[in-house]
Coordinates of all heavy atoms in Angstrom, one line a residue:
V1 N -15.1 -5.4 22.0 CA -14.2 -6.3 22.5 C -12.8 -5.8 22.4 O -12.4 -5.2 21.3 CB -14.3 -7.7 21.8 CG1 -13.2 -8.6 22.2 CG2 -15.7 -8.2 21.9
R2 N -12.1 -5.8 23.5 CA -10.7 -5.3 23.5 C -9.8 -6.3 24.1 O -10.1 -7.0 25.1 CB -10.7 -4.0 24.3 CG -9.4 -3.3 24.2 CD -9.4 -1.9 24.9 NE -9.8 -0.9 24.0 CZ -9.8 0.4 24.2 NH1 -9.6 0.8 25.5 NH2 -10.1 1.2 23.3
F3 N -8.6 -6.5 23.5 CA -7.7 -7.4 24.1 C -6.3 -6.7 24.1 O -6.1 -5.7 23.4 CB -7.6 -8.7 23.3 CG -7.1 -8.5 21.9 CD1 -5.8 -8.7 21.6 CD2 -8.0 -8.2 20.8 CE1 -5.3 -8.6 20.3 CE2 -7.5 -8.1 19.5 CZ -6.2 -8.3 19.3
F4 N -5.4 -7.2 24.8 CA -4.1 -6.6 25.0 C -3.0 -7.6 24.3 O -3.0 -8.7 24.6 CB -3.7 -6.4 26.5 CG -4.7 -5.5 27.1 CD1 -5.6 -6.0 28.1 CD2 -4.8 -4.2 26.8 CE1 -6.5 -5.2 28.7 CE2 -5.8 -3.4 27.4 CZ -6.6 -3.9 28.4
V5 N -2.1 -7.0 23.6 CA -1.1 -7.7 23.0 C 0.1 -7.9 23.9 O 0.9 -8.8 23.7 CB -0.6 -7.0 21.7 CG1 0.5 -7.7 21.0 CG2 -1.8 -6.8 20.7
F6 N 0.3 -7.0 24.9 CA 1.4 -7.0 25.7 C 1.2 -8.0 26.9 O 0.1 -8.4 27.2 CB 1.8 -5.6 26.1 CG 2.0 -4.7 25.0 CD1 1.0 -3.8 24.6 CD2 3.1 -4.8 24.2 CE1 1.2 -3.0 23.5 CE2 3.3 -4.0 23.1 CZ 2.3 -3.1 22.7
D7 N 2.3 -8.2 27.7 CA 2.2 -9.1 28.8 C 1.6 -8.4 30.1 O 1.3 -9.1 31.1 CB 3.5 -9.7 29.2 CG 4.6 -8.7 29.5 OD1 4.3 -7.5 29.3 OD2 5.7 -9.0 29.9
A8 N 1.4 -7.1 30.1 CA 0.9 -6.4 31.2 C -0.2 -5.5 30.8 O -0.2 -4.9 29.7 CB 2.0 -5.6 31.9
E9 N -1.2 -5.3 31.6 CA -2.3 -4.4 31.3 C -1.8 -3.0 31.3 O -1.0 -2.6 32.2 CB -3.4 -4.6 32.4 CG -4.7 -3.9 32.0 CD -5.8 -4.3 33.0 OE1 -5.8 -5.4 33.5 OE2 -6.7 -3.5 33.1
P10 N -2.3 -2.1 30.4 CA -1.8 -0.7 30.4 C -2.3 0.1 31.7 O -3.2 -0.3 32.3 CB -2.5 -0.2 29.1 CG -3.7 -1.0 28.9 CD -3.3 -2.4 29.4
N11 N -1.5 1.1 31.9 CA -1.8 2.0 33.0 C -2.9 2.9 32.6 O -2.8 3.8 31.7 CB -0.6 2.8 33.4 CG -0.8 3.8 34.5 OD1 -2.0 4.0 35.0 ND2 0.2 4.3 35.0
M12 N -4.1 2.7 33.2 CA -5.3 3.4 32.7 C -5.2 4.9 32.9 O -5.9 5.7 32.3 CB -6.6 2.8 33.4 CG -6.7 1.4 33.2 SD -6.8 1.0 31.4 CE -8.5 0.9 31.1
D13 N -4.4 5.4 33.8 CA -4.2 6.8 34.1 C -3.4 7.5 33.0 O -3.5 8.7 32.8 CB -3.5 7.1 35.4 CG -4.4 6.6 36.6 OD1 -5.6 6.7 36.5 OD2 -3.8 6.2 37.6
R14 N -2.7 6.7 32.2 CA -1.8 7.3 31.1 C -2.4 7.2 29.7 O -1.8 7.7 28.8 CB -0.4 6.7 31.2 CG 0.3 7.0 32.5 CD 1.7 6.6 32.4 NE 2.3 7.4 31.4 CZ 3.5 7.2 31.0 NH1 4.3 6.3 31.5 NH2 4.1 8.0 30.1
L15 N -3.5 6.5 29.6 CA -4.1 6.3 28.3 C -4.8 7.6 27.8 O -5.3 8.4 28.5 CB -5.2 5.2 28.3 CG -4.7 3.8 28.6 CD1 -5.9 2.8 28.6 CD2 -3.8 3.4 27.5
L16 N -4.7 7.8 26.5 CA -5.3 8.9 25.9 C -6.6 8.5 25.2 O -6.7 7.4 24.7 CB -4.4 9.5 24.8 CG -3.0 10.1 25.3 CD1 -2.2 10.5 24.2 CD2 -3.2 11.2 26.2
P17 N -7.6 9.4 25.2 CA -8.8 9.1 24.5 C -8.6 9.0 23.0 O -7.7 9.7 22.4 CB -9.8 10.2 24.9 CG -8.9 11.4 25.2 CD -7.6 10.8 25.8
P18 N -9.4 8.1 22.3 CA -9.2 8.1 20.9 C -9.6 9.4 20.2 O -10.5 10.0 20.6 CB -10.1 6.9 20.4 CG -11.0 6.7 21.6 CD -10.4 7.2 22.8
S19 N -8.9 9.7 19.2 CA -9.2 10.9 18.4 C -10.1 10.5 17.2 O -9.9 9.6 16.5 CB -8.0 11.6 17.9 OG -8.3 12.6 17.0
P20 N -11.2 11.3 16.9 CA -12.1 11.0 15.8 C -11.4 11.3 14.4 O -11.8 10.9 13.4 CB -13.2 11.9 16.0 CG -12.8 13.0 16.8 CD -11.7 12.5 17.7
Q21 N -10.3 12.1 14.5 CA -9.6 12.5 13.2 C -8.6 11.4 12.8 O -8.0 10.8 13.7 CB -8.9 13.8 13.4 CG -9.8 15.0 13.8 CD -10.9 15.2 12.7 OE1 -10.6 15.1 11.5 NE2 -12.1 15.5 13.1
P22 N -8.4 11.2 11.5 CA -7.4 10.2 11.1 C -6.0 10.8 11.5 O -5.8 12.0 11.5 CB -7.6 10.1 9.6 CG -8.3 11.3 9.2 CD -9.1 11.8 10.4
P23 N -5.0 9.9 11.7 CA -3.7 10.3 12.1 C -2.9 11.1 11.0 O -2.1 11.9 11.3 CB -3.0 9.1 12.5 CG -3.7 8.0 11.9 CD -5.2 8.4 11.7
L24 N -3.3 10.8 9.8 CA -2.6 11.5 8.7 C -3.7 12.0 7.7 O -4.8 11.4 7.6 CB -1.7 10.5 7.9 CG -0.5 9.9 8.7 CD1 0.2 8.8 7.9 CD2 0.4 11.0 9.1
A25 N -3.3 13.0 7.0 CA -4.2 13.5 6.0 C -4.2 12.5 4.8 O -3.2 11.8 4.5 CB -3.7 14.8 5.4
P26 N -5.4 12.4 4.1 CA -5.4 11.4 3.0 C -4.5 11.9 1.9 O -4.2 13.0 1.7 CB -6.9 11.5 2.6 CG -7.4 12.7 3.1 CD -6.6 13.1 4.4
S27 N -4.0 10.9 1.2 CA -3.1 11.2 0.0 C -4.0 11.8 -1.1 O -5.1 11.6 -1.2 CB -2.6 9.9 -0.5 OG -1.8 9.2 0.5
P28 N -3.3 12.7 -1.9 CA -4.1 13.3 -3.0 C -4.5 12.2 -4.0 O -3.8 11.2 -4.1 CB -3.0 14.3 -3.6 CG -1.7 13.8 -3.1 CD -1.9 13.1 -1.8
P29 N -5.7 12.5 -4.6 CA -6.1 11.5 -5.6 C -5.2 11.3 -6.8 O -4.5 12.3 -7.2 CB -7.5 12.0 -6.0 CG -7.5 13.4 -5.7 CD -6.5 13.6 -4.5
L30 N -5.1 10.1 -7.3 CA -4.3 9.9 -8.4 C -5.0 10.3 -9.7 O -6.2 9.9 -9.9 CB -3.9 8.4 -8.5 CG -3.2 7.9 -7.3 CD1 -3.0 6.3 -7.4 CD2 -1.8 8.5 -7.2
T31 N -4.4 11.0 -10.6 CA -5.0 11.4 -11.8 C -4.5 10.8 -13.1 O -5.1 10.8 -14.1 CB -4.9 12.9 -12.0 OG1 -3.5 13.3 -12.0 CG2 -5.6 13.6 -10.8
T32 N -3.3 10.2 -13.0 CA -2.7 9.5 -14.1 C -2.2 8.1 -13.8 O -2.0 7.8 -12.6 CB -1.5 10.3 -14.7 OG1 -0.4 10.3 -13.7 CG2 -1.9 11.8 -15.0
V33 N -2.0 7.4 -14.8 CA -1.4 6.0 -14.7 C 0.0 6.1 -14.1 O 0.4 5.3 -13.2 CB -1.4 5.3 -16.0 CG1 -0.7 3.9 -15.9 CG2 -2.9 5.1 -16.5
A34 N 0.8 7.0 -14.5 CA 2.2 7.2 -14.1 C 2.2 7.4 -12.6 O 3.1 6.9 -11.8 CB 2.9 8.3 -14.9
E35 N 1.3 8.3 -12.1 CA 1.2 8.6 -10.6 C 0.9 7.3 -9.9 O 1.4 7.1 -8.8 CB 0.2 9.7 -10.4 CG 0.6 11.1 -10.8 CD -0.5 12.1 -10.5 OE1 -1.6 11.7 -10.0 OE2 -0.3 13.3 -10.8
A36 N -0.1 6.5 -10.4 CA -0.4 5.3 -9.7 C 0.7 4.3 -9.7 O 1.0 3.7 -8.6 CB -1.6 4.6 -10.5
V37 N 1.5 4.2 -10.7 CA 2.7 3.3 -10.8 C 3.7 3.8 -9.7 O 4.2 3.0 -8.9 CB 3.3 3.2 -12.2 CG1 4.6 2.6 -12.1 CG2 2.4 2.5 -13.1
D38 N 3.9 5.1 -9.7 CA 4.9 5.6 -8.8 C 4.5 5.4 -7.3 O 5.3 5.0 -6.5 CB 5.1 7.1 -9.0 CG 5.9 7.4 -10.2 OD1 6.6 6.5 -10.7 OD2 5.8 8.6 -10.8
R39 N 3.2 5.6 -7.0 CA 2.7 5.4 -5.7 C 2.8 4.0 -5.2 O 3.2 3.6 -4.1 CB 1.4 6.0 -5.5 CG 0.9 6.0 -4.0 CD -0.4 6.6 -3.7 NE -0.4 8.0 -4.0 CZ -1.5 8.7 -3.9 NH1 -2.7 8.2 -3.6 NH2 -1.4 10.0 -4.2
V40 N 2.4 3.1 -6.1 CA 2.4 1.7 -5.8 C 3.8 1.2 -5.5 O 4.1 0.5 -4.5 CB 1.8 0.8 -6.9 CG1 2.1 -0.7 -6.7 CG2 0.3 1.0 -6.9
F41 N 4.8 1.6 -6.3 CA 6.2 1.1 -6.1 C 6.7 1.8 -4.8 O 7.4 1.1 -4.1 CB 7.0 1.5 -7.3 CG 7.1 0.4 -8.3 CD1 6.0 0.2 -9.2 CD2 8.2 -0.5 -8.3 CE1 6.1 -0.8 -10.1 CE2 8.2 -1.5 -9.2 CZ 7.2 -1.7 -10.1
L42 N 6.4 3.0 -4.6 CA 7.0 3.7 -3.4 C 6.4 3.1 -2.2 O 7.2 2.8 -1.2 CB 6.6 5.2 -3.5 CG 7.1 6.1 -2.3 CD1 8.7 6.0 -2.3 CD2 6.6 7.5 -2.4
H43 N 5.1 2.8 -2.1 CA 4.6 2.2 -0.9 C 4.9 0.8 -0.7 O 5.1 0.3 0.4 CB 3.0 2.4 -0.9 CG 2.6 3.8 -0.6 ND1 2.6 4.3 0.7 CD2 2.2 4.8 -1.4 CE1 2.1 5.6 0.6 NE2 1.9 5.9 -0.6
A44 N 5.0 0.0 -1.8 CA 5.3 -1.4 -1.7 C 6.8 -1.7 -1.5 O 7.2 -2.5 -0.7 CB 4.7 -2.1 -2.9
L45 N 7.6 -1.0 -2.3 CA 9.0 -1.3 -2.3 C 9.9 -0.2 -1.8 O 11.1 -0.4 -1.6 CB 9.5 -1.7 -3.7 CG 8.8 -2.9 -4.4 CD1 9.2 -3.0 -5.8 CD2 9.0 -4.1 -3.6
G46 N 9.4 1.0 -1.6 CA 10.2 2.0 -1.0 C 11.1 2.7 -2.0 O 12.1 3.3 -1.7
R47 N 10.8 2.5 -3.3 CA 11.7 3.0 -4.4 C 10.9 3.2 -5.6 O 9.7 2.8 -5.8 CB 12.8 2.0 -4.7 CG 12.3 0.7 -5.2 CD 13.5 -0.2 -5.7 NE 13.1 -1.5 -6.1 CZ 12.6 -1.8 -7.3 NH1 12.5 -0.8 -8.2 NH2 12.2 -3.0 -7.7
A48 N 11.5 4.0 -6.5 CA 10.8 4.2 -7.9 C 11.0 3.0 -8.7 O 12.0 2.3 -8.6 CB 11.4 5.5 -8.5
P49 N 10.2 2.8 -9.6 CA 10.3 1.6 -10.6 C 11.5 1.9 -11.6 O 11.7 3.1 -11.9 CB 9.0 1.5 -11.3 CG 8.4 2.9 -11.2 CD 8.9 3.5 -9.9
S50 N 12.1 0.8 -12.0 CA 13.1 0.9 -13.0 C 12.4 1.2 -14.4 O 11.1 1.1 -14.4 CB 13.9 -0.3 -13.2 OG 13.1 -1.4 -13.7
P51 N 13.1 1.6 -15.4 CA 12.4 1.9 -16.7 C 11.6 0.7 -17.2 O 10.5 0.8 -17.7 CB 13.5 2.3 -17.6 CG 14.6 2.9 -16.7 CD 14.5 2.1 -15.5
V52 N 12.2 -0.5 -17.0 CA 11.5 -1.7 -17.5 C 10.3 -2.0 -16.6 O 9.1 -2.3 -17.2 CB 12.4 -2.9 -17.5 CG1 11.7 -4.2 -17.8 CG2 13.6 -2.7 -18.5
E53 N 10.4 -1.8 -15.3 CA 9.3 -2.0 -14.4 C 8.2 -1.0 -14.7 O 7.0 -1.4 -14.7 CB 9.7 -1.9 -13.0 CG 10.6 -3.0 -12.5 CD 11.2 -2.8 -11.1 OE1 11.4 -1.6 -10.8 OE2 11.6 -3.8 -10.4
R54 N 8.6 0.2 -14.9 CA 7.6 1.3 -15.3 C 6.8 0.9 -16.5 O 5.5 1.0 -16.5 CB 8.2 2.6 -15.4 CG 7.2 3.7 -15.7 CD 7.9 5.1 -15.8 NE 8.6 5.5 -14.6 CZ 8.0 5.9 -13.5 NH1 6.8 6.1 -13.5 NH2 8.8 6.2 -12.4
R55 N 7.5 0.5 -17.5 CA 6.8 0.1 -18.8 C 5.8 -1.0 -18.6 O 4.7 -1.0 -19.0 CB 7.8 -0.2 -19.9 CG 7.3 -0.6 -21.2 CD 8.4 -0.8 -22.3 NE 9.4 -1.7 -21.9 CZ 9.2 -3.1 -21.8 NH1 8.0 -3.6 -22.2 NH2 10.2 -3.9 -21.5
L56 N 6.3 -2.1 -17.9 CA 5.4 -3.2 -17.6 C 4.2 -2.9 -16.8 O 3.1 -3.3 -17.0 CB 6.2 -4.4 -17.0 CG 7.3 -5.0 -17.9 CD1 8.2 -6.0 -17.2 CD2 6.6 -5.7 -19.1
A57 N 4.5 -2.1 -15.7 CA 3.4 -1.7 -14.8 C 2.4 -0.8 -15.4 O 1.2 -1.0 -15.3 CB 4.0 -1.0 -13.5
T58 N 2.9 0.1 -16.3 CA 2.0 1.0 -17.0 C 1.1 0.2 -17.9 O -0.1 0.4 -18.0 CB 2.8 2.1 -17.8 OG1 3.5 2.8 -16.8 CG2 1.8 3.0 -18.5
S59 N 1.7 -0.7 -18.7 CA 0.8 -1.5 -19.6 C -0.1 -2.5 -18.8 O -1.2 -2.8 -19.3 CB 1.7 -2.3 -20.5 OG 2.5 -3.3 -19.7
A60 N 0.2 -2.8 -17.5 CA -0.6 -3.7 -16.8 C -1.9 -3.0 -16.2 O -2.9 -3.5 -16.1 CB 0.2 -4.4 -15.7
I61 N -1.6 -1.7 -15.8 CA -2.8 -1.0 -15.1 C -3.5 -0.1 -15.9 O -4.6 0.4 -15.5 CB -2.3 -0.3 -13.8 CG1 -1.4 0.9 -14.1 CG2 -1.5 -1.3 -12.9 CD1 -1.1 1.7 -12.9
A62 N -3.1 0.2 -17.1 CA -3.8 1.1 -18.0 C -5.1 0.4 -18.5 O -5.1 -0.8 -18.9 CB -3.0 1.6 -19.2
D63 N -6.2 1.1 -18.4 CA -7.5 0.6 -18.9 C -7.4 0.5 -20.4 O -7.2 1.5 -21.1 CB -8.6 1.5 -18.4 CG -10.0 0.9 -18.7 OD1 -10.1 -0.2 -19.3 OD2 -11.0 1.5 -18.2
P64 N -7.7 -0.7 -21.0 CA -7.6 -0.8 -22.5 C -8.6 0.2 -23.2 O -8.3 0.7 -24.3 CB -8.0 -2.2 -22.8 CG -7.8 -3.0 -21.5 CD -8.0 -2.0 -20.4
A65 N -9.8 0.4 -22.6 CA -10.8 1.3 -23.2 C -10.4 2.8 -23.1 O -10.6 3.6 -24.0 CB -12.2 1.1 -22.6
R66 N -9.8 3.1 -22.0 CA -9.3 4.5 -21.8 C -7.9 4.5 -21.2 O -7.7 4.3 -20.0 CB -10.2 5.2 -20.8 CG -11.7 5.3 -21.3 CD -12.5 5.9 -20.2 NE -12.3 5.2 -18.9 CZ -13.2 4.8 -18.1 NH1 -14.5 5.1 -18.4 NH2 -12.9 4.2 -17.0
P67 N -6.9 4.5 -22.0 CA -5.5 4.3 -21.6 C -5.0 5.3 -20.5 O -4.1 5.1 -19.8 CB -4.7 4.5 -22.9 CG -5.6 4.3 -24.0 CD -7.0 4.6 -23.5
E68 N -5.7 6.5 -20.4 CA -5.2 7.4 -19.4 C -5.8 7.1 -18.0 O -5.4 7.7 -17.0 CB -5.6 8.9 -19.8 CG -7.1 9.1 -19.8 CD -7.9 8.6 -21.0 OE1 -7.2 8.2 -22.0 OE2 -9.1 8.7 -21.1
Q69 N -6.8 6.1 -18.0 CA -7.4 5.8 -16.7 C -6.8 4.5 -16.2 O -6.3 3.7 -16.9 CB -8.9 5.5 -16.9 CG -9.6 6.8 -17.3 CD -9.7 7.8 -16.2 OE1 -9.9 7.4 -15.0 NE2 -9.6 9.1 -16.5
V70 N -6.8 4.3 -14.8 CA -6.3 3.1 -14.2 C -7.4 2.1 -14.1 O -8.5 2.3 -13.7 CB -5.8 3.4 -12.7 CG1 -5.4 2.2 -12.0 CG2 -4.7 4.4 -12.8
S71 N -7.1 0.9 -14.5 CA -8.0 -0.3 -14.4 C -7.9 -0.9 -13.0 O -6.8 -1.2 -12.6 CB -7.6 -1.3 -15.5 OG -8.2 -2.6 -15.2
A72 N -9.0 -1.1 -12.4 CA -9.0 -1.7 -11.0 C -8.4 -3.1 -11.1 O -7.6 -3.5 -10.2 CB -10.4 -1.7 -10.5
D73 N -8.8 -3.9 -12.1 CA -8.3 -5.2 -12.2 C -6.8 -5.3 -12.5 O -6.0 -6.0 -11.9 CB -9.0 -6.0 -13.3 CG -10.4 -6.3 -13.0 OD1 -10.7 -6.4 -11.8 OD2 -11.2 -6.6 -13.9
G74 N -6.3 -4.3 -13.3 CA -4.9 -4.2 -13.6 C -4.1 -3.8 -12.3 O -3.0 -4.3 -12.1
L75 N -4.7 -2.9 -11.6 CA -4.0 -2.5 -10.3 C -3.9 -3.6 -9.4 O -2.9 -3.8 -8.7 CB -4.8 -1.3 -9.7 CG -4.2 -0.7 -8.5 CD1 -2.8 -0.2 -8.8 CD2 -5.0 0.5 -8.0
A76 N -5.0 -4.4 -9.3 CA -5.0 -5.6 -8.4 C -3.9 -6.6 -8.9 O -3.2 -7.1 -8.0 CB -6.4 -6.2 -8.3
D77 N -3.8 -6.7 -10.2 CA -2.8 -7.7 -10.7 C -1.4 -7.1 -10.4 O -0.5 -7.9 -10.1 CB -2.9 -7.8 -12.2 CG -4.2 -8.6 -12.6 OD1 -4.7 -9.3 -11.7 OD2 -4.6 -8.6 -13.8
L78 N -1.1 -5.8 -10.5 CA 0.2 -5.2 -10.2 C 0.5 -5.4 -8.8 O 1.6 -5.8 -8.4 CB 0.2 -3.8 -10.6 CG 1.5 -3.0 -10.2 CD1 2.7 -3.6 -11.0 CD2 1.4 -1.6 -10.5
L79 N -0.5 -5.2 -7.9 CA -0.2 -5.4 -6.5 C 0.1 -6.8 -6.1 O 1.0 -7.1 -5.4 CB -1.4 -4.9 -5.6 CG -1.6 -3.4 -5.6 CD1 -3.0 -3.1 -5.0 CD2 -0.5 -2.7 -4.8
W80 N -0.6 -7.7 -6.8 CA -0.3 -9.2 -6.6 C 1.0 -9.5 -7.1 O 1.8 -10.2 -6.4 CB -1.4 -10.0 -7.3 CG -1.2 -11.5 -7.2 CD1 -0.7 -12.3 -8.1 CD2 -1.5 -12.3 -6.0 NE1 -0.6 -13.6 -7.6 CE2 -1.2 -13.6 -6.3 CE3 -2.1 -12.0 -4.8 CZ2 -1.4 -14.6 -5.4 CZ3 -2.3 -13.0 -3.9 CH2 -1.9 -14.3 -4.2
A81 N 1.4 -9.0 -8.2 CA 2.8 -9.3 -8.7 C 3.9 -8.8 -7.8 O 4.9 -9.5 -7.6 CB 2.9 -8.8 -10.1
L82 N 3.7 -7.6 -7.3 CA 4.7 -7.1 -6.4 C 4.8 -7.8 -5.1 O 5.8 -8.1 -4.6 CB 4.4 -5.6 -6.1 CG 4.6 -4.6 -7.3 CD1 4.2 -3.2 -6.8 CD2 6.1 -4.6 -7.6
M83 N 3.6 -8.3 -4.5 CA 3.6 -9.0 -3.3 C 4.2 -10.4 -3.5 O 4.6 -11.1 -2.5 CB 2.2 -9.1 -2.7 CG 1.6 -7.8 -2.3 SD 2.6 -7.0 -1.0 CE 3.0 -5.5 -1.8
M84 N 4.2 -10.9 -4.7 CA 4.8 -12.2 -4.9 C 6.4 -12.1 -5.2 O 7.0 -13.2 -5.4 CB 4.2 -12.9 -6.2 CG 2.8 -13.3 -5.9 SD 2.7 -14.6 -4.7 CE 2.0 -13.7 -3.3
M85 N 7.0 -11.0 -5.1 CA 8.4 -10.8 -5.3 C 9.1 -11.5 -4.1 O 8.5 -11.6 -3.0 CB 8.8 -9.3 -5.3 CG 8.3 -8.6 -6.6 SD 8.7 -6.9 -6.6 CE 10.5 -7.0 -6.7
P86 N 10.3 -11.9 -4.3 CA 11.1 -12.6 -3.2 C 11.2 -11.7 -2.0 O 11.4 -12.2 -0.9 CB 12.4 -12.9 -3.9 CG 12.1 -13.0 -5.3 CD 11.0 -12.0 -5.6
D87 N 11.2 -10.4 -2.1 CA 11.3 -9.5 -1.0 C 10.3 -9.7 0.1 O 10.5 -9.5 1.2 CB 11.2 -8.0 -1.4 CG 12.2 -7.6 -2.5 OD1 13.1 -8.5 -2.8 OD2 12.2 -6.5 -2.9
F88 N 9.1 -10.2 -0.4 CA 7.9 -10.4 0.6 C 7.7 -11.9 0.9 O 6.8 -12.2 1.7 CB 6.7 -9.9 -0.1 CG 6.7 -8.4 -0.3 CD1 7.0 -7.8 -1.5 CD2 6.4 -7.5 0.8 CE1 7.0 -6.5 -1.6 CE2 6.5 -6.2 0.7 CZ 6.8 -5.7 -0.5
Q89 N 8.6 -12.8 0.5 CA 8.5 -14.2 0.7 C 9.0 -14.5 2.1 O 10.2 -14.1 2.4 CB 9.1 -15.1 -0.3 CG 8.5 -14.8 -1.7 CD 7.1 -15.2 -1.8 OE1 6.7 -16.2 -1.3 NE2 6.3 -14.4 -2.4
L90 N 8.3 -15.2 2.9 CA 8.8 -15.7 4.2 C 9.1 -17.2 4.1 O 8.1 -18.0 3.9 CB 7.8 -15.4 5.3 CG 8.1 -15.9 6.7 CD1 9.4 -15.2 7.2 CD2 7.0 -15.7 7.6
I91 N 10.3 -17.5 4.3 CA 10.7 -18.9 4.2 C 11.1 -19.3 5.6 O 12.0 -18.7 6.2 CB 11.8 -19.1 3.2 CG1 11.4 -18.7 1.8 CG2 12.2 -20.6 3.3 CD1 12.5 -18.7 0.8
Y92 N 10.4 -20.3 6.1 CA 10.8 -20.7 7.5 C 11.1 -22.2 7.6 O 11.0 -22.9 6.7 CB 9.6 -20.5 8.5 CG 8.3 -21.1 8.0 CD1 7.9 -22.4 8.5 CD2 7.4 -20.5 7.1 CE1 6.8 -23.0 8.2 CE2 6.3 -21.1 6.8 CZ 5.9 -22.3 7.3 OH 4.7 -22.9 6.9

């Protein structure tokens, strides 16, 4: 099923076939909690975390059993907390 978002149908002579390759190379895997914190803040807010934010984020996503590993639940909580920031709130 295909639908068009625009008000006119596209020119079928100018369309390019889909490429099987992804448009960007995958990001390198994260190996430390600090890398995960940096990537989340960079992608979500476009900036590095402040020292206080880094400390709180690191304590939130570090796995209690293995502090050098990222906890999936902690990462989900960090993403939720960032998405609840006023920067992402839409007030209409």
Side-chain angles (χ1 to χ4, degrees):
V1 174
R2 186 176 265 185
F3 66 93
F4 302 110
V5 178
F6 305 104
D7 60 353
E9 191 171 333
N11 182 349
M12 300 307 262
D13 296 328
R14 297 193 61 187
L15 290 179
L16 298 173
S19 173
Q21 300 299 322
L24 298 173
S27 300
L30 300 171
T31 57
T32 66
V33 172
E35 288 177 0
V37 169
D38 288 338
R39 186 176 295 174
V40 166
F41 270 81
L42 182 63
H43 285 279
L45 301 175
R47 64 174 176 82
S50 69
V52 173
E53 291 171 333
R54 180 178 302 280
R55 182 177 49 79
L56 292 171
T58 300
S59 66
I61 70 170
D63 189 356
R66 298 177 310 225
E68 69 279 353
Q69 296 290 323
V70 175
S71 164
D73 290 336
L75 184 58
D77 290 343
L78 176 62
L79 289 170
W80 180 259
L82 288 176
M83 293 301 119
M84 291 294 107
M85 291 180 67
D87 303 359
F88 294 99
Q89 300 297 314
L90 175 64
I91 300 172
Y92 56 94

